């Protein structure tokens, strides 16, 4: 009933090619953007903005980055956190060493720096595939973190290797309050997510998907493999790099190489697997799932059981439940949360008269 | 059925309300960002277990601090910065006066909350980790790296080696190997040891071990060729027992190995088995359960079945006692702050900060607490947020840690000079104007 599309005709190519062909979706999307862009910063308290919503948005961006590479172009990568580290340290050094560097430009340059490194580590993808490529990107993970620790220049010779992010200032306005930081993050993520959505629907995206589905066939029909794969690495790393810079500047406020370890790379990989491989929406759903569920459990388990369980057992129980839920979701819906939403939508379009 | 349910719920709620009204005693809330899972769980469960047990002791034996009961809530950080920030925000507003003090027992999380805590007016206490130059209280009014820092420790280790050799002048021409964890933490040792090497004329060879450090064959081959007079072990986690075993394999005497305080717990030596015997390590607290304070915990807390440790044999271990030290310092700072802001009142983080800054645990006070020799006397001031900067050395005899030295001092002028230099650079970068300590009350 809600989703009736009777009477909605597409009378031009532009209308046919929209991201949301159904009017209800467009209204829903606009409401969603309004809610998260305007209402949330006005209403939410500091805890929600700082500790919950900002990280979800940032990890969504990183997950979009990995999704472009793994979900769309079919290249398995375990180096996402390292590319985030490149972005974070690049932004820090650009702002530190270039006088009057505007923040948004630094953000873009951080992304470009990450893209450059990404292309470099994407080179093996021309020869190796699948799990072997994952191992090659694993090398990126360890190598980049090692370089950032090894050469103190990157952290401006800080004795502990940890650097504090500078103040974010755009056109004279200092982004200090949690609301301001959230809005900035939201704006950057929204713009980049929209760009990603359009990119994967364009010729580039189709080239990626062709390579993903069968690279020999794609080559035969005229896609240049090297260009397509390296472009996927570049774009993916760009997104991860920007996410890393945001992580440092609007979320944690400090940068340290060990923070971007293999665990984080795995986490981002889990986000796209849970959310849905090859789906932009999935990146958001997956990030929300992986970031929020442990926090929810940490609140829930002590509230339910009190001190009846030992503190150590309560902490381990959370991990057990978390892992169990991941397995449950993967069995129930192997294509991720995005697929669940898609099924729900199909049903809604027919509801309440499925016949 | 439903009615019964809601009636029950109502009764429970009423009970809850009644108990909170009846219990109108003042409460001081302390948020605990603990970690009991993940690679560092062994350390985390010991430290936070000991800390909670000490606070429980204060509640059970003394009825709180001047009648103010301590309450606390744990938040699992998994030693992860992002989770730590979440915990910081979650715990910030809990309790009647908000979180009193934040002690994450993780250098990464410390850095992540440093600026926020100053804005929220919550003191950050980092005992034996964290940002070394925060010892300059003029630049970092809200941070307290109490008792000692990594730099003081490195200097104390060199002094200890010097004493063993029979004088600091004997260090000239000696070879010292530094086996360090290849991370920001391990590299904290470089600047200070380089300076000390230049000052005393010993030859320092730095050898990195990649994280996690369970493979050290090539490093020990290098050490065997080098034949250093001493090896300083600046390790963490599995790297420590591996180093001890590798040393045994190449025949390097463990008596010549000196570890830092993150290398000197039972968790580091027991897995190495007999290879650990003779190994010496620094510590700002000592192991052992035969101190009156630990005996009291056993009697008043575990006697009533309210202890936090699941494995009771760990009571009195290095990490557990370190947690008790955290507890003592926290409680004493609150006590001190109550002297100024009103006895028997719950205090805000800002008031407790004053308590930390004016903390003075002298020998008499330590004796009253039953902790003589358990931790060093500690006097904090506006300019000096570190305190004595001393460590004791303990030797592993194959079954337990034995104290083999008194409190060993560091090269105070050198360390303090480096701290002030580094803090001044931070203040300049951040545009902070250092406080004038003569105006602080």
């Amino acid at each position: 009933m809600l989703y009736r599309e009777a009477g909605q005709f597409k009378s031009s190519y532009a209308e046919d090619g929209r991201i949301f062909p159904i009017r209800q979706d467009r209204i829903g999307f606009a409401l969603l953007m309004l809610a998260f862009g305007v209402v949330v910063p006005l209403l939410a308290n500091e805890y929600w903005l700082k500790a919950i919503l900002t990280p979800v948005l940032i990890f969504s961006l990183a997950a979009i980055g990995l999704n472009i590479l793994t979900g769309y172009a079919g290249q398995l990568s375990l180096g996402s956190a390292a590319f985030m580290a490149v972005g974070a340290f690049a932004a820090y050094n650009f702002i530190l060493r270039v006088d009057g560097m505007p923040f948004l430009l630094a953000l873009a340059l951080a992304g470009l720096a990450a893209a450059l490194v990404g292309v470099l580590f994407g080179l093996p993808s021309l020869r190796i595939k699948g799990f072997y490529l994952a191992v090659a990107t694993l090398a990126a993970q360890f190598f980049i973190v090692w370089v950032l620790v090894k050469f103190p220049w990157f952290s401006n010779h800080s004795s502990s290797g940890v650097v504090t992010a500078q103040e974010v200032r755009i056109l004279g306005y200092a982004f200090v309050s949690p609301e301001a930081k959230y809005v900035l993050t939201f704006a950057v993520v929204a713009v980049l997510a929209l760009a990603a959505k359009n990119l994967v629907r364009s010729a580039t995206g189709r080239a990626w998907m062709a390579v993903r589905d069968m690279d020999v066939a794609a080559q035969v029909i005229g896609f240049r493999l090297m260009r397509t794969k390296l472009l996927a690495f570049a774009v993916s790393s760009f997104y991860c790099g920007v996410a890393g810079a945001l992580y440092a500047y609007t979320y944690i406020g400090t940068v340290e190489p060990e923070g971007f370890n293999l665990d984080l790379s795995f986490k981002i990989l889990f986000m796209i697997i849970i959310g849905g491989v090859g789906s932009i929406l999935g990146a958001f759903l997956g990030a929300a799932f992986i970031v929020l569920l442990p926090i929810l459990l940490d609140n829930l388990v002590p509230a339910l059981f009190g001190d009846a369980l030992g503190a150590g057992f309560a902490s381990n129980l959370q991990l057990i439940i978390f892992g169990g839920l991941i397995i449950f979701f993967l069995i129930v819906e192997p294509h991720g949360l995005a697929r669940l939403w898609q099924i729900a939508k199909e049903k809604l379009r027919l509801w309440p008269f499925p016949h | 059925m439903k009615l019964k349910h809601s009636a029950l719920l109502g009764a429970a709620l009423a009970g809850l309300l009644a108990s909170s009204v009846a219990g109108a005693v003042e409460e001081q809330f302390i948020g605990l960002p603990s970690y009991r899972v993940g690679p560092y769980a062994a350390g985390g469960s010991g430290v936070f277990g000991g800390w909670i047990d000490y606070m429980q002791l204060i509640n059970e034996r003394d009825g709180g601090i001047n009648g103010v009961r301590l309450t606390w809530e744990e938040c699992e950080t998994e030693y992860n910065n992002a989770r730590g920030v979440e915990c910081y925000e979650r715990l910030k507003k809990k309790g009647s006066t908000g979180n009193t003090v934040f002690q994450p027992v993780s250098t990464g999380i410390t850095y992540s909350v440093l600026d926020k805590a100053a804005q929220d007016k919550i003191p950050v206490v980092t005992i034996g980790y964290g940002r070394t130059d925060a010892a300059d209280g003029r630049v970092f009014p809200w941070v307290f790296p109490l008792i000692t820092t990594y730099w003081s420790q490195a200097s104390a280790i060199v002094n200890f080696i010097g004493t063993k050799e029979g004088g600091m002048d004997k260090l000239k021409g000696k070879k010292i190997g530094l086996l360090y964890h290849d991370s920001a933490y391990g590299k904290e040792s470089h600047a200070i040891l380089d300076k000390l090497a230049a000052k005393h004329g010993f030859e320092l060879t730095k050898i990195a071990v990649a994280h996690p450090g369970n493979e050290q064959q090539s490093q020990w081959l290098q050490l065997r060729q080098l034949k250093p007079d001493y090896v300083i072990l600046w390790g963490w986690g599995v790297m420590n027992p591996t180093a001890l075993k590798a040393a045994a394999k190449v025949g390097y005497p463990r008596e010549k190995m000196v570890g830092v305080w993150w290398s000197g717990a039972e968790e580091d030596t027991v897995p190495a088995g007999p290879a650990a015997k003779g190994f010496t390590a620094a510590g700002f607290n000592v192991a052992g359960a035969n101190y009156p304070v630990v005996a009291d915990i056993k009697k008043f807390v575990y006697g009533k079945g309210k202890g936090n440790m699941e494995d009771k044999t760990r009571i009195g271990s290095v990490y557990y006692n370190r947690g008790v030290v955290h507890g003592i310092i926290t409680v004493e700072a609150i006590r001190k702050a109550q002297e100024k802001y009103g006895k028997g009142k719950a205090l805000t983080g800002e008031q407790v900060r004053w308590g930390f800054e004016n903390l003075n645990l002298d020998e008499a006070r330590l004796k009253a607490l039953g902790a003589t020799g358990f931790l060093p006397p500690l006097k904090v001031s506006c300019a000096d947020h570190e305190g004595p900067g001393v460590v004791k050395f303990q030797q592993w005899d194959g079954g337990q840690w034995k104290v083999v030295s008194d409190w060993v001092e560091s090269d105070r002028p050198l360390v303090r000079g480096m701290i002030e230099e580094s803090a001044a650079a931070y203040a300049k970068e951040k545009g902070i104007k250092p406080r004038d300590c003569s105006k602080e009350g």
Side-chain angles (χ1 to χ4, degrees), chain B residues 19-42:
Chain B
S19 70
S20 68
V21 170
V25 287
E26 296 269 351
E27 287 186 340
Q28 185 80 45
F29 178 77
I30 292 150
L32 301 174
S34 62
Y35 45 96
R36 293 171 183 274
V37 294
Y40 309 124

Side-chain angles (χ1 to χ4, degrees), chain A residues 46-47 50 160 256 315-316, chain B residues 76 81 86 89 92 111 184:
Chain A
E46 198 181 350
Y47 170 68
K50 262 190 188 169
S160 59
E256 66 165 334
S315 289
N316 282 302
Chain B
E76 174 68 47
N81 292 359
E86 194 269 325
E89 295 291 338
K92 191 164 89 181
Y111 273 83

Side-chain angles (χ1 to χ4, degrees), chain A residues 46-47 50-51 92 146 149-150 159-162 164-165 247 251-252 254 256 258 267 294-295 298-299 310-313 315-316 319, chain B residues 36-37 74-76 78 80-83 85-86 89-90 92-93 108 111-112 115-116 120 151 182-184 187-188 310 426 429-430:
Chain A
E46 198 181 350
Y47 170 68
K50 262 190 188 169
Y92 171 76
W146 177 78
V149 175
K150 176 83 186 167
S159 70
S160 59
V162 189
T164 352
Y247 183 86
Y251 176 39
I252 295 272
T254 55
E256 66 165 334
E258 280 96 14
K267 241 185 207 167
I295 297 174
D298 197 31
N299 279 306
F313 183 71
S315 289
N316 282 302
L319 284 189
Chain B
R36 293 171 183 274
V37 294
E74 283 192 72
C75 178
E76 174 68 47
E78 297 181 14
N80 175 317
N81 292 359
R83 291 290 299 274
V85 169
E86 194 269 325
E89 295 291 338
R90 193 200 301 175
K92 191 164 89 181
K93 297 266 164 68
Y111 273 83
S112 303
D115 290 348
K116 290 185 185 110
D120 297 330
W151 293 350
D182 198 4
S183 65
K187 292 198 166 173
E188 278 271 5
E310 281 154 44
Y426 178 84
E429 190 190 318
K430 285 278 189 175

